[in-house]
Amino acid sequence: MSSRLYNQPKQEVDAYCVPPFQTVNHQQYYSGGSQGTYFSIPNSIKQYCTLDSSSASGNCGAYSSTPSTITLSPSGSPISQQESLSYPSGGMKHSPDTTYGSPMSGSCITEEVNDFRIKLRELETVMLGSDCDIVDSIENALLNGTNMASSHLDSLRQAMEAISRGDLYQVLTACAVAVSENNLLMAQWLMDELRQMVSVSGEPIQRLGAYMLEGLVARLASSGSSIYKALRCKQPASSELLSYMHLLHEVCPYFKFGYMSANGAIAEAMKDEDRVHIVDFQIGQGSQWVTLIQAFAARPGGPPHIRITGIDDSTSAYARGGGLNIVGKRLSKLARSFKVPFEFHAAAISGCEVQAKDLYVQPGEALAVNFAFMLHHMPDESVSTENHRDRLLRMVKGLSPKVVTLVEQESNTNTAAFFPRFVEALDYYRAMFESIDMMLPREHKERINVEQHCLATDVVNIVACEGLDRVKRHELLGKWRSRFSMAGFKPYPLSSLVNATIKTLLKNYCSKYRLEERDGSLYLGWMNRDLVASCAWK
């Protein structure tokens, strides 16, 4: 059984795609609520990529460092993005050979843009002043420190030093500080500088920086979401999104690590059971269960009867191009080919709405519950009085499961205030973008799409949104341990077999990945940064 647990059956490989960190429907980021995005408005025939508009064909190859854009402040007032920034005294212009800039592609900007453009630019001068006024204010602040708080003046000087040495990380954090302090003048200037430093085709920090910048702009534009809703681009076709997810799954071991460790715990707990019921709270494409069904088929004494209850959300349905019946048919066909007694129960309902009755738990079944990259979507006590995060854990405990598996990103973005959350996201996704860089060449035509559609929306949500609109709320494993313990669970240590199998998996990837076992849990990291944690409970 152990030798077959993680081998994908050949006849079904093409039919499956393991979903990445569960991305939320684009509409949740770009319509309604307190969030927003920004759009680029060309002053010539050139059009510029944003999160919403990079080319699916991967032809974002040309660059320009002088796009003009319009954003909105938190109060709803427009802020002009300078077309060609005049640098402060002692100006630190970028060298002519810099490769920074925004890539061009066919834009998704609608015909309504020209109307919005005229109206917004009429308001710009009234609400904030002209572009020259912005630069003059900064210059005056430098020449006469009494006109600016000393802390702001120090921040300005530090930011200029970071710009002069090309330190993108420091400029990003300086901009986040300005946003957190509502220093709109400083934030606006740094955003203009950052647009010349980031690139979705550059080094990992440049690529991530492009999306962090999108998040900062969207955060300032929170009250302008109704305008951005009118200009929001459509998601890629479901088949395209599925291919991006599949490619990310293949080039990064994070998801395989999570699913393999969870499968190992379930297989170990169910090795002597005749009837097994698996409840998957984020079933996606159902790919996680392919290797487990195969492993049970090879079990001495024959396979158990397996029933899987798959819980769905709208993002998974969109990526599949259909409902849960697609997953049920694929898994049933696979089970038949391995002569495994199998049933599939579909629960097309969001995690926040799940009740015990929706899971159809039956007497005589050994129950396994799988939380893989899912619980961080659930609002907790800091967001909602209902606290669905802890409610689900208590509900599951009440069903007396034999094993519960947890796989989550090892990041602290749930209750952290904006600035520390920004730094945490910057550090976390920087490691992830670096790992992708080792597997996909910079010129790979699909890499931009993978990062944009599978990761960038997560980044923007973490940076730009608050309250119920912020659905990416990761917690460190220590916090999850507290939650599981309060719900009445006890640790179920992962077997050494799982550890050894994952180490074998990692041999197919870069040597900078590392696997650590601590307190009965497994951590997968990139260099010195933990990225994914996996554990089991009973």
Side-chain angles (χ1 to χ4, degrees), residues 408-458:
E408 277 293 347
Q409 293 166 257
E410 185 68 355
S411 182
N412 183 23
T413 62
N414 182 24
T415 58
F418 166 68
F419 180 68
R421 185 171 80 239
F422 180 92
V423 174
E424 171 75 355
L426 182 58
D427 290 340
Y428 183 92
Y429 285 97
R430 181 178 186 177
M432 183 167 285
F433 274 61
E434 287 175 353
S435 69
I436 294 175
D437 206 53
M438 298 297 293
M439 298 298 293
L440 287 179
R442 302 260 173 94
E443 63 274 12
H444 194 287
K445 67 178 183 179
E446 296 296 345
R447 183 192 49 71
I448 292 176
N449 288 320
V450 167
E451 293 174 347
Q452 173 180 314
H453 296 296
C454 299
L455 298 177
T457 48
D458 292 8

CSV table of all heavy atoms in Angstrom, one decimal, residues 408-458:
chain,number,residue,atom,x,y,z
A,408,GLU,N,-2.4,24.0,5.7
A,408,GLU,CA,-2.6,25.5,5.5
A,408,GLU,C,-1.2,26.1,5.2
A,408,GLU,O,-0.2,25.6,5.5
A,408,GLU,CB,-3.1,26.1,6.8
A,408,GLU,CG,-4.6,26.0,7.0
A,408,GLU,CD,-5.4,26.8,5.9
A,408,GLU,OE1,-4.8,27.7,5.3
A,408,GLU,OE2,-6.6,26.6,5.8
A,409,GLN,N,-1.3,27.3,4.6
A,409,GLN,CA,-0.2,28.1,4.4
A,409,GLN,C,0.3,28.7,5.7
A,409,GLN,O,-0.5,29.1,6.6
A,409,GLN,CB,-0.5,29.3,3.5
A,409,GLN,CG,-0.8,28.9,2.0
A,409,GLN,CD,-1.5,30.0,1.3
A,409,GLN,OE1,-2.7,30.0,1.1
A,409,GLN,NE2,-0.7,31.0,0.8
A,410,GLU,N,1.6,28.6,6.0
A,410,GLU,CA,2.2,29.0,7.2
A,410,GLU,C,2.5,30.5,7.2
A,410,GLU,O,3.6,31.0,6.9
A,410,GLU,CB,3.5,28.2,7.5
A,410,GLU,CG,4.1,28.5,8.8
A,410,GLU,CD,3.3,28.0,10.0
A,410,GLU,OE1,2.2,27.5,9.9
A,410,GLU,OE2,3.8,28.1,11.1
A,411,SER,N,1.5,31.3,7.4
A,411,SER,CA,1.6,32.7,7.3
A,411,SER,C,0.6,33.4,8.3
A,411,SER,O,-0.4,32.8,8.6
A,411,SER,CB,1.2,33.2,5.9
A,411,SER,OG,1.4,34.6,5.7
A,412,ASN,N,0.9,34.6,8.7
A,412,ASN,CA,0.2,35.3,9.7
A,412,ASN,C,-0.5,36.5,9.1
A,412,ASN,O,0.1,37.6,9.2
A,412,ASN,CB,1.0,35.6,10.9
A,412,ASN,CG,0.3,36.3,12.1
A,412,ASN,OD1,-0.9,36.1,12.2
A,412,ASN,ND2,1.0,37.0,12.9
A,413,THR,N,-1.6,36.4,8.5
A,413,THR,CA,-2.3,37.5,7.9
A,413,THR,C,-3.7,37.7,8.4
A,413,THR,O,-4.4,38.5,7.8
A,413,THR,CB,-2.3,37.4,6.4
A,413,THR,OG1,-3.1,36.2,6.0
A,413,THR,CG2,-0.9,37.3,5.8
A,414,ASN,N,-4.1,37.0,9.4
A,414,ASN,CA,-5.5,37.0,9.8
A,414,ASN,C,-5.9,38.3,10.6
A,414,ASN,O,-6.6,39.2,10.0
A,414,ASN,CB,-5.9,35.8,10.6
A,414,ASN,CG,-7.4,35.8,11.0
A,414,ASN,OD1,-8.2,36.4,10.4
A,414,ASN,ND2,-7.7,35.1,12.1
A,415,THR,N,-5.3,38.4,11.8
A,415,THR,CA,-5.7,39.6,12.6
A,415,THR,C,-4.6,40.7,12.6
A,415,THR,O,-4.8,41.7,13.3
A,415,THR,CB,-5.9,39.1,14.0
A,415,THR,OG1,-4.8,38.5,14.5
A,415,THR,CG2,-7.1,38.2,14.1
A,416,ALA,N,-3.5,40.5,11.9
A,416,ALA,CA,-2.5,41.5,11.8
A,416,ALA,C,-3.0,42.8,11.3
A,416,ALA,O,-3.8,42.8,10.3
A,416,ALA,CB,-1.3,40.9,11.0
A,417,ALA,N,-2.5,43.9,11.8
A,417,ALA,CA,-2.8,45.2,11.3
A,417,ALA,C,-2.2,45.3,9.9
A,417,ALA,O,-1.3,44.5,9.5
A,417,ALA,CB,-2.2,46.3,12.2
A,418,PHE,N,-2.6,46.4,9.2
A,418,PHE,CA,-2.3,46.5,7.8
A,418,PHE,C,-0.8,46.4,7.5
A,418,PHE,O,-0.3,45.6,6.7
A,418,PHE,CB,-2.8,47.8,7.2
A,418,PHE,CG,-2.2,48.1,5.8
A,418,PHE,CD1,-2.5,47.3,4.7
A,418,PHE,CD2,-1.3,49.1,5.7
A,418,PHE,CE1,-1.9,47.5,3.5
A,418,PHE,CE2,-0.7,49.4,4.4
A,418,PHE,CZ,-1.0,48.6,3.3
A,419,PHE,N,0.1,47.2,8.2
A,419,PHE,CA,1.5,47.2,7.8
A,419,PHE,C,2.2,45.9,8.1
A,419,PHE,O,2.9,45.4,7.2
A,419,PHE,CB,2.2,48.4,8.4
A,419,PHE,CG,3.7,48.5,8.1
A,419,PHE,CD1,4.0,48.8,6.8
A,419,PHE,CD2,4.6,48.2,9.0
A,419,PHE,CE1,5.4,48.8,6.4
A,419,PHE,CE2,6.0,48.2,8.7
A,419,PHE,CZ,6.4,48.5,7.3
A,420,PRO,N,2.1,45.4,9.3
A,420,PRO,CA,2.8,44.1,9.5
A,420,PRO,C,2.2,43.0,8.6
A,420,PRO,O,2.9,42.1,8.2
A,420,PRO,CB,2.5,43.7,11.0
A,420,PRO,CG,1.4,44.7,11.4
A,420,PRO,CD,1.5,45.9,10.5
A,421,ARG,N,0.9,43.1,8.2
A,421,ARG,CA,0.4,42.1,7.3
A,421,ARG,C,1.0,42.3,5.9
A,421,ARG,O,1.3,41.3,5.2
A,421,ARG,CB,-1.2,42.3,7.2
A,421,ARG,CG,-1.9,41.3,6.4
A,421,ARG,CD,-3.4,41.4,6.5
A,421,ARG,NE,-4.0,42.5,5.8
A,421,ARG,CZ,-4.7,43.5,6.3
A,421,ARG,NH1,-4.8,43.6,7.6
A,421,ARG,NH2,-5.2,44.4,5.5
A,422,PHE,N,1.2,43.5,5.5
A,422,PHE,CA,1.8,43.8,4.2
A,422,PHE,C,3.2,43.2,4.2
A,422,PHE,O,3.6,42.5,3.2
A,422,PHE,CB,1.9,45.3,4.0
A,422,PHE,CG,2.5,45.7,2.7
A,422,PHE,CD1,1.8,45.9,1.5
A,422,PHE,CD2,3.9,45.9,2.6
A,422,PHE,CE1,2.4,46.2,0.3
A,422,PHE,CE2,4.5,46.2,1.4
A,422,PHE,CZ,3.7,46.4,0.2
A,423,VAL,N,4.0,43.4,5.2
A,423,VAL,CA,5.4,42.9,5.3
A,423,VAL,C,5.4,41.3,5.3
A,423,VAL,O,6.2,40.7,4.6
A,423,VAL,CB,6.1,43.4,6.5
A,423,VAL,CG1,7.5,42.8,6.7
A,423,VAL,CG2,6.3,44.9,6.4
A,424,GLU,N,4.4,40.8,6.0
A,424,GLU,CA,4.3,39.3,6.1
A,424,GLU,C,4.0,38.7,4.7
A,424,GLU,O,4.6,37.8,4.2
A,424,GLU,CB,3.2,38.9,7.1
A,424,GLU,CG,2.8,37.4,7.1
A,424,GLU,CD,3.9,36.5,7.7
A,424,GLU,OE1,4.9,37.0,8.1
A,424,GLU,OE2,3.6,35.3,7.8
A,425,ALA,N,3.1,39.4,4.0
A,425,ALA,CA,2.7,38.9,2.6
A,425,ALA,C,3.9,39.1,1.7
A,425,ALA,O,4.1,38.2,0.8
A,425,ALA,CB,1.5,39.7,2.1
A,426,LEU,N,4.6,40.2,1.8
A,426,LEU,CA,5.7,40.5,1.0
A,426,LEU,C,6.8,39.4,1.2
A,426,LEU,O,7.3,38.8,0.2
A,426,LEU,CB,6.3,41.8,1.3
A,426,LEU,CG,7.5,42.3,0.4
A,426,LEU,CD1,7.1,42.3,-1.1
A,426,LEU,CD2,7.9,43.7,0.9
A,427,ASP,N,7.1,39.0,2.4
A,427,ASP,CA,8.1,38.0,2.7
A,427,ASP,C,7.6,36.6,2.2
A,427,ASP,O,8.4,35.8,1.6
A,427,ASP,CB,8.4,38.0,4.2
A,427,ASP,CG,9.2,39.2,4.6
A,427,ASP,OD1,9.8,39.9,3.7
A,427,ASP,OD2,9.2,39.5,5.8
A,428,TYR,N,6.4,36.3,2.5
A,428,TYR,CA,5.8,35.0,2.2
A,428,TYR,C,5.8,34.8,0.7
A,428,TYR,O,6.4,33.8,0.2
A,428,TYR,CB,4.4,34.8,2.8
A,428,TYR,CG,3.9,33.5,2.5
A,428,TYR,CD1,4.0,32.4,3.5
A,428,TYR,CD2,3.2,33.1,1.4
A,428,TYR,CE1,3.5,31.2,3.3
A,428,TYR,CE2,2.6,31.9,1.1
A,428,TYR,CZ,2.8,30.9,2.1
A,428,TYR,OH,2.3,29.6,1.9
A,429,TYR,N,5.2,35.7,-0.1
A,429,TYR,CA,5.1,35.5,-1.5
A,429,TYR,C,6.4,35.7,-2.2
A,429,TYR,O,6.5,35.2,-3.4
A,429,TYR,CB,3.9,36.3,-2.0
A,429,TYR,CG,2.6,35.8,-1.7
A,429,TYR,CD1,1.9,36.3,-0.6
A,429,TYR,CD2,2.0,34.8,-2.4
A,429,TYR,CE1,0.6,35.8,-0.2
A,429,TYR,CE2,0.8,34.2,-2.1
A,429,TYR,CZ,0.1,34.7,-1.0
A,429,TYR,OH,-1.1,34.2,-0.6
A,430,ARG,N,7.3,36.4,-1.6
A,430,ARG,CA,8.6,36.6,-2.3
A,430,ARG,C,9.3,35.2,-2.3
A,430,ARG,O,9.8,34.8,-3.4
A,430,ARG,CB,9.5,37.5,-1.5
A,430,ARG,CG,10.8,37.8,-2.1
A,430,ARG,CD,11.6,38.8,-1.2
A,430,ARG,NE,12.9,39.1,-1.9
A,430,ARG,CZ,13.8,40.0,-1.4
A,430,ARG,NH1,13.5,40.6,-0.3
A,430,ARG,NH2,14.9,40.2,-2.0
A,431,ALA,N,9.2,34.4,-1.3
A,431,ALA,CA,9.7,33.1,-1.3
A,431,ALA,C,9.0,32.2,-2.3
A,431,ALA,O,9.7,31.4,-3.1
A,431,ALA,CB,9.6,32.4,0.1
A,432,MET,N,7.7,32.4,-2.4
A,432,MET,CA,7.0,31.6,-3.4
A,432,MET,C,7.4,32.0,-4.9
A,432,MET,O,7.6,31.1,-5.7
A,432,MET,CB,5.5,31.7,-3.2
A,432,MET,CG,4.7,30.9,-4.1
A,432,MET,SD,3.0,30.8,-3.6
A,432,MET,CE,3.1,29.6,-2.3
A,433,PHE,N,7.5,33.3,-5.1
A,433,PHE,CA,7.8,33.7,-6.5
A,433,PHE,C,9.3,33.3,-6.8
A,433,PHE,O,9.6,33.0,-7.9
A,433,PHE,CB,7.7,35.2,-6.6
A,433,PHE,CG,6.3,35.7,-7.0
A,433,PHE,CD1,5.2,35.4,-6.1
A,433,PHE,CD2,6.1,36.4,-8.1
A,433,PHE,CE1,3.9,35.8,-6.5
A,433,PHE,CE2,4.8,36.8,-8.5
A,433,PHE,CZ,3.7,36.5,-7.7
A,434,GLU,N,10.2,33.3,-5.8
A,434,GLU,CA,11.5,32.8,-6.0
A,434,GLU,C,11.5,31.3,-6.4
A,434,GLU,O,12.3,30.9,-7.3
A,434,GLU,CB,12.4,33.1,-4.8
A,434,GLU,CG,12.7,34.5,-4.6
A,434,GLU,CD,13.5,34.8,-3.3
A,434,GLU,OE1,13.6,33.8,-2.5
A,434,GLU,OE2,14.0,35.9,-3.1
A,435,SER,N,10.7,30.6,-5.8
A,435,SER,CA,10.6,29.1,-6.1
A,435,SER,C,10.1,28.9,-7.5
A,435,SER,O,10.6,28.0,-8.2
A,435,SER,CB,9.8,28.4,-5.0
A,435,SER,OG,8.4,28.7,-5.1
A,436,ILE,N,9.1,29.7,-7.9
A,436,ILE,CA,8.6,29.5,-9.2
A,436,ILE,C,9.7,29.9,-10.2
A,436,ILE,O,9.8,29.3,-11.3
A,436,ILE,CB,7.4,30.4,-9.4
A,436,ILE,CG1,6.2,29.9,-8.6
A,436,ILE,CG2,6.9,30.5,-10.9
A,436,ILE,CD1,5.0,30.8,-8.6
A,437,ASP,N,10.5,30.9,-9.9
A,437,ASP,CA,11.6,31.3,-10.8
A,437,ASP,C,12.6,30.2,-11.1
A,437,ASP,O,13.2,30.2,-12.1
A,437,ASP,CB,12.3,32.5,-10.1
A,437,ASP,CG,12.9,33.4,-11.2
A,437,ASP,OD1,12.2,33.9,-12.1
A,437,ASP,OD2,14.1,33.7,-11.0
A,438,MET,N,12.7,29.3,-10.1
A,438,MET,CA,13.7,28.2,-10.3
A,438,MET,C,13.2,27.1,-11.3
A,438,MET,O,13.9,26.3,-11.8
A,438,MET,CB,14.0,27.6,-9.0
A,438,MET,CG,14.7,28.5,-8.0
A,438,MET,SD,16.3,29.1,-8.6
A,438,MET,CE,17.3,27.6,-8.6
A,439,MET,N,11.8,27.1,-11.5
A,439,MET,CA,11.2,26.1,-12.3
A,439,MET,C,10.7,26.5,-13.6
A,439,MET,O,10.7,25.8,-14.6
A,439,MET,CB,10.0,25.4,-11.5
A,439,MET,CG,10.5,24.8,-10.2
A,439,MET,SD,11.6,23.4,-10.4
A,439,MET,CE,10.5,22.2,-11.2
A,440,LEU,N,10.3,27.8,-13.7
A,440,LEU,CA,9.8,28.3,-15.0
A,440,LEU,C,10.7,29.5,-15.4
A,440,LEU,O,10.9,30.4,-14.7
A,440,LEU,CB,8.4,28.8,-14.8
A,440,LEU,CG,7.3,27.8,-14.7
A,440,LEU,CD1,5.9,28.5,-14.5
A,440,LEU,CD2,7.2,26.9,-15.9
A,441,PRO,N,11.2,29.4,-16.6
A,441,PRO,CA,12.1,30.4,-17.2
A,441,PRO,C,11.3,31.8,-17.2
A,441,PRO,O,10.1,31.8,-17.4
A,441,PRO,CB,12.5,29.9,-18.6
A,441,PRO,CG,12.2,28.5,-18.5
A,441,PRO,CD,11.1,28.2,-17.6
A,442,ARG,N,12.0,32.9,-17.1
A,442,ARG,CA,11.4,34.2,-17.1
A,442,ARG,C,10.6,34.4,-18.4
A,442,ARG,O,9.6,35.0,-18.4
A,442,ARG,CB,12.5,35.3,-17.0
A,442,ARG,CG,13.3,35.2,-15.8
A,442,ARG,CD,12.9,36.2,-14.7
A,442,ARG,NE,13.6,35.9,-13.5
A,442,ARG,CZ,14.7,36.6,-13.1
A,442,ARG,NH1,15.2,37.5,-13.9
A,442,ARG,NH2,15.3,36.3,-12.0
A,443,GLU,N,11.1,33.8,-19.5
A,443,GLU,CA,10.5,34.0,-20.8
A,443,GLU,C,9.3,33.0,-21.0
A,443,GLU,O,8.7,33.1,-22.1
A,443,GLU,CB,11.5,33.9,-21.9
A,443,GLU,CG,12.2,32.5,-22.1
A,443,GLU,CD,13.4,32.4,-21.2
A,443,GLU,OE1,13.6,33.2,-20.3
A,443,GLU,OE2,14.1,31.4,-21.4
A,444,HIS,N,9.0,32.1,-20.1
A,444,HIS,CA,8.0,31.2,-20.3
A,444,HIS,C,6.6,31.9,-20.5
A,444,HIS,O,6.2,32.7,-19.6
A,444,HIS,CB,7.9,30.3,-19.0
A,444,HIS,CG,7.0,29.1,-19.2
A,444,HIS,ND1,5.7,29.1,-19.3
A,444,HIS,CD2,7.4,27.7,-19.3
A,444,HIS,CE1,5.2,27.9,-19.4
A,444,HIS,NE2,6.2,27.0,-19.5
A,445,LYS,N,6.0,31.6,-21.6
A,445,LYS,CA,4.8,32.4,-21.9
A,445,LYS,C,3.6,32.3,-21.0
A,445,LYS,O,2.8,33.2,-20.9
A,445,LYS,CB,4.4,32.1,-23.4
A,445,LYS,CG,3.8,30.7,-23.5
A,445,LYS,CD,3.4,30.5,-25.0
A,445,LYS,CE,2.7,29.1,-25.2
A,445,LYS,NZ,2.3,28.9,-26.6
A,446,GLU,N,3.6,31.2,-20.2
A,446,GLU,CA,2.4,31.0,-19.3
A,446,GLU,C,2.7,31.4,-17.9
A,446,GLU,O,1.8,31.4,-17.1
A,446,GLU,CB,2.0,29.5,-19.4
A,446,GLU,CG,1.5,29.1,-20.7
A,446,GLU,CD,0.2,29.8,-21.1
A,446,GLU,OE1,-0.4,30.4,-20.3
A,446,GLU,OE2,-0.2,29.7,-22.3
A,447,ARG,N,4.0,31.8,-17.6
A,447,ARG,CA,4.3,32.1,-16.2
A,447,ARG,C,3.6,33.3,-15.7
A,447,ARG,O,3.1,33.3,-14.5
A,447,ARG,CB,5.8,32.3,-16.0
A,447,ARG,CG,6.2,32.5,-14.6
A,447,ARG,CD,7.7,33.0,-14.5
A,447,ARG,NE,7.9,34.1,-15.4
A,447,ARG,CZ,7.5,35.3,-15.2
A,447,ARG,NH1,6.7,35.6,-14.2
A,447,ARG,NH2,7.8,36.3,-16.1
A,448,ILE,N,3.5,34.3,-16.5
A,448,ILE,CA,2.8,35.5,-16.1
A,448,ILE,C,1.3,35.2,-15.7
A,448,ILE,O,0.8,35.6,-14.7
A,448,ILE,CB,2.8,36.6,-17.2
A,448,ILE,CG1,4.2,37.1,-17.4
A,448,ILE,CG2,1.8,37.7,-16.8
A,448,ILE,CD1,4.4,38.1,-18.5
A,449,ASN,N,0.7,34.3,-16.6
A,449,ASN,CA,-0.7,34.0,-16.3
A,449,ASN,C,-0.8,33.1,-15.0
A,449,ASN,O,-1.8,33.3,-14.3
A,449,ASN,CB,-1.2,33.2,-17.5
A,449,ASN,CG,-1.5,34.0,-18.7
A,449,ASN,OD1,-1.9,35.2,-18.6
A,449,ASN,ND2,-1.1,33.5,-19.9
A,450,VAL,N,0.1,32.3,-14.8
A,450,VAL,CA,0.1,31.4,-13.6
A,450,VAL,C,0.1,32.3,-12.4
A,450,VAL,O,-0.7,32.2,-11.4
A,450,VAL,CB,1.2,30.4,-13.6
A,450,VAL,CG1,1.4,29.8,-12.2
A,450,VAL,CG2,1.0,29.3,-14.6
A,451,GLU,N,1.1,33.3,-12.3
A,451,GLU,CA,1.3,34.1,-11.2
A,451,GLU,C,0.1,35.1,-11.0
A,451,GLU,O,-0.4,35.4,-9.9
A,451,GLU,CB,2.6,34.9,-11.3
A,451,GLU,CG,3.8,34.0,-11.2
A,451,GLU,CD,5.1,34.7,-11.4
A,451,GLU,OE1,5.1,35.8,-11.9
A,451,GLU,OE2,6.2,34.1,-11.1
A,452,GLN,N,-0.4,35.6,-12.2
A,452,GLN,CA,-1.5,36.6,-12.1
A,452,GLN,C,-2.8,36.0,-11.7
A,452,GLN,O,-3.4,36.5,-10.8
A,452,GLN,CB,-1.6,37.2,-13.5
A,452,GLN,CG,-2.9,38.1,-13.6
A,452,GLN,CD,-3.0,38.7,-15.0
A,452,GLN,OE1,-2.0,39.1,-15.6
A,452,GLN,NE2,-4.2,38.7,-15.6
A,453,HIS,N,-3.1,34.8,-12.2
A,453,HIS,CA,-4.5,34.3,-11.9
A,453,HIS,C,-4.5,33.3,-10.7
A,453,HIS,O,-5.6,33.1,-10.2
A,453,HIS,CB,-5.0,33.6,-13.2
A,453,HIS,CG,-5.2,34.5,-14.4
A,453,HIS,ND1,-6.2,35.5,-14.3
A,453,HIS,CD2,-4.6,34.6,-15.6
A,453,HIS,CE1,-6.1,36.2,-15.5
A,453,HIS,NE2,-5.2,35.6,-16.2
A,454,CYS,N,-3.4,32.8,-10.3
A,454,CYS,CA,-3.4,31.9,-9.2
A,454,CYS,C,-2.8,32.4,-7.9
A,454,CYS,O,-3.1,31.9,-6.9
A,454,CYS,CB,-2.6,30.6,-9.6
A,454,CYS,SG,-3.2,29.7,-11.0
A,455,LEU,N,-2.0,33.5,-8.0
A,455,LEU,CA,-1.4,34.0,-6.8
A,455,LEU,C,-1.7,35.5,-6.6
A,455,LEU,O,-1.9,36.0,-5.5
A,455,LEU,CB,0.1,33.8,-6.9
A,455,LEU,CG,0.6,32.4,-6.9
A,455,LEU,CD1,2.1,32.4,-7.1
A,455,LEU,CD2,0.2,31.6,-5.7
A,456,ALA,N,-1.7,36.3,-7.7
A,456,ALA,CA,-1.8,37.8,-7.5
A,456,ALA,C,-3.1,38.2,-6.9
A,456,ALA,O,-3.1,39.2,-6.1
A,456,ALA,CB,-1.6,38.4,-8.9
A,457,THR,N,-4.2,37.5,-7.2
A,457,THR,CA,-5.5,37.9,-6.6
A,457,THR,C,-5.4,37.7,-5.1
A,457,THR,O,-6.0,38.5,-4.3
A,457,THR,CB,-6.6,37.1,-7.2
A,457,THR,OG1,-6.3,35.7,-7.2
A,457,THR,CG2,-6.9,37.6,-8.6
A,458,ASP,N,-4.7,36.6,-4.6
A,458,ASP,CA,-4.5,36.5,-3.2
A,458,ASP,C,-3.8,37.6,-2.6
A,458,ASP,O,-4.1,38.2,-1.5
A,458,ASP,CB,-3.7,35.2,-2.9
A,458,ASP,CG,-4.5,33.9,-3.3
A,458,ASP,OD1,-5.6,34.0,-3.9
A,458,ASP,OD2,-4.0,32.8,-3.0
